[in-house]
């Protein structure tokens, strides 16, 4: 079953965030991740609209998604995000 990274990200420093995004993309590709949504238009249907960007990345399975997040490549990328953005990150397993 596929695993999905879901991130709600509020970017404070767009220039520094660009460096994170560039490095994170390489790590995600290395683990076979496929971006499905990355900061496009969003419409709140119930409750408050989430701040900032919504990112959804599909992996072949939840273990692959976790391995990418925990990899040295992604953790290095993550260090560039530390002062540039805040957010919530999770992995969700698909139903089928």
């Amino acid at each position: 079953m596929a695993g999905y990274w879901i991130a709600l990200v509020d970017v404070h420093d767009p220039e520094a965030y660009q460096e994170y995004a560039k490095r994170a993309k390489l790590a995600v590709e290395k683990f076979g991740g496929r971006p499905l949504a990355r900061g496009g238009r969003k419409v709140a249907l119930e409750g408050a609209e989430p701040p900032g960007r919504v990112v959804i990345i599909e992996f072949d399975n939840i273990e692959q998604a976790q391995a990418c997040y925990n990899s040295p490549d992604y953790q290095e990328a993550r260090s560039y995000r530390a002062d540039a953005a805040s957010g919530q990150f999770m992995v969700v397993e698909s139903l089928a």
Side-chain angles (χ1 to χ4, degrees):
M1 290 187 274
Y4 297 92
W5 271 14
I6 300 175
L8 307 175
V9 184
D10 193 15
V11 178
H12 312 297
D13 182 346
E15 189 174 309
Y17 189 82
Q18 288 292 343
E19 186 62 28
Y20 157 75
K22 180 176 75 173
R23 292 170 183 264
K25 180 179 185 274
L26 296 174
V28 166
E29 287 173 351
K30 192 174 187 178
F31 284 84
R34 298 167 297 280
L36 301 178
R38 196 169 43 201
R41 192 177 90 162
K42 58 188 183 293
V43 177
L45 299 176
E46 290 188 33
E49 183 174 304
R53 300 167 57 88
V54 176
V55 178
I56 303 172
I57 301 175
E58 180 182 47
F59 290 86
D60 289 341
N61 53 59
I62 199 167
E63 292 81 14
Q64 198 172 7
Q66 289 176 292
C68 180
Y69 182 85
N70 292 321
S71 72
D73 289 339
Y74 183 75
Q75 290 301 307
E76 180 186 5
R78 187 173 166 243
S79 71
Y80 286 86
R81 190 188 76 224
D83 293 329
S86 58
Q88 295 176 288
F89 290 73
M90 65 201 82
V91 177
V92 177
E93 190 172 51
S94 72
L95 294 174

